[in-house]
């Protein structure tokens, strides 16, 4: 058993038979009254987000989550197949666990997967990935980087906003959390 003082981002709390991943936390010490911990938690199965407050020192039950490095291999129907980098075992991960990360995953992509009793709970992508623009409207003479943006489709099929001067075939760095264009990559 742990206490509410042990709560950090990424802590998985077991409550009412469900697992909740702490997304944000804040230790609050008001001038009047006792201290408490305010958290924002995400259900690891359904993805539902709730706000929960614990009194300072309250007992909580944490779940052990094993974070391991995996390599994305291929998509098998609705599931995604990953290979463990340590023992080369393959696991199938459902599309609900993968979520929006599938928009930026290429084969051989390195990811981290959180496992609890052998069940995949969540998937963490690197902060940014390099993808090739497969389609965008051609740029016009005079388009500059400080101008507007236009939609572009990258090799995974995701659509992102890029500066007007970019053309198809350009490799770009994309933020996997927001889908924002971060810059060109020169090879």
């Amino acid at each position: 058993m742990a206490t509410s003082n042990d709560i950090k981002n990424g802590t998985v709390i077991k409550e009412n038979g469900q697992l909740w991943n702490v997304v944000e936390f804040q230790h609050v010490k008001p001038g009047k009254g006792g201290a408490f911990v305010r958290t924002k938690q995400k259900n690891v199965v359904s993805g539902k987000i709730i706000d929960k407050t614990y009194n300072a020192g309250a007992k909580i039950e944490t779940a052990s989550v094993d974070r391991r490095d995996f390599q994305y291999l291929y998509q098998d129907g609705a599931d995604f197949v990953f290979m463990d980098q340590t023992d080369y075992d393959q696991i199938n991960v459902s599309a609900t666990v993968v979520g929006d990360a599938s928009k930026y995953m290429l084969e051989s992509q390195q990811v981290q997967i959180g496992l609890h009793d052998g069940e995949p709970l969540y998937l963490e992508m690197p902060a940014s990935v390099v993808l090739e623009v497969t389609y965008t409207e051609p740029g016009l003479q005079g388009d500059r980087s400080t101008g507007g943006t236009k939609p572009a489709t990258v090799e995974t099929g995701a659509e992102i906003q890029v500066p007007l001067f970019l053309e198809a075939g350009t490799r770009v760095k994309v933020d996997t959390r927001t889908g924002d264009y971060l810059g060109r990559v020169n090879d």
Side-chain angles (χ1 to χ4, degrees), residues 38 51 54 56 90 142 144:
R38 185 178 296 137
D51 292 324
Y54 297 95
Q90 293 183 10
R144 299 287 177 256

Side-chain angles (χ1 to χ4, degrees), residues 47-58:
K48 178 181 176 183
I49 295 180
I50 63 167
D51 292 324
K52 181 125 176 138
T53 303
Y54 297 95
N55 290 330

Side-chain angles (χ1 to χ4, degrees), residues 104 129 131-139 143-155 158-175 179-185:
Y104 310 109
V129 292
L131 300 171
E132 185 175 326
V133 175
T134 55
Y135 175 76
T136 188
E137 294 295 324
D143 286 342
R144 299 287 177 256
S145 62
T146 57
T149 60
K150 62 181 178 180
T153 305
V154 293
E155 58 189 309
E159 191 169 285
I160 63 170
Q161 292 293 320
V162 297
L164 294 170
F165 65 88
L166 280 184
E167 297 185 6
T170 307
R171 294 175 52 80
V172 296
K173 188 180 263 191
V174 180
D175 187 325
D180 291 341
Y181 164 83
L182 297 176
R184 266 190 301 194
V185 176

Side-chain angles (χ1 to χ4, degrees), residues 15-75:
E15 203 167 276
N16 299 330
Q18 295 184 337
L19 297 176
W20 298 87
N21 188 13
V22 176
V23 180
E24 291 178 23
F25 77 99
Q26 180 181 20
H27 289 280
V28 180
K29 296 177 186 164
K32 185 176 173 184
F36 58 91
V37 180
R38 185 178 296 137
T39 65
K40 185 178 282 190
Q41 302 175 0
K42 180 178 180 181
N43 187 307
V44 295
V45 177
S46 68
K48 178 181 176 183
I49 295 180
I50 63 167
D51 292 324
K52 181 125 176 138
T53 303
Y54 297 95
N55 290 330
K59 299 267 187 240
I60 58 170
E61 185 178 355
T62 58
S64 63
V65 175
D66 185 19
R67 292 172 54 153
R68 288 198 243 156
D69 292 327
F70 282 83
Q71 179 181 15
Y72 172 56
L73 298 178
Y74 58 91
Q75 188 170 357

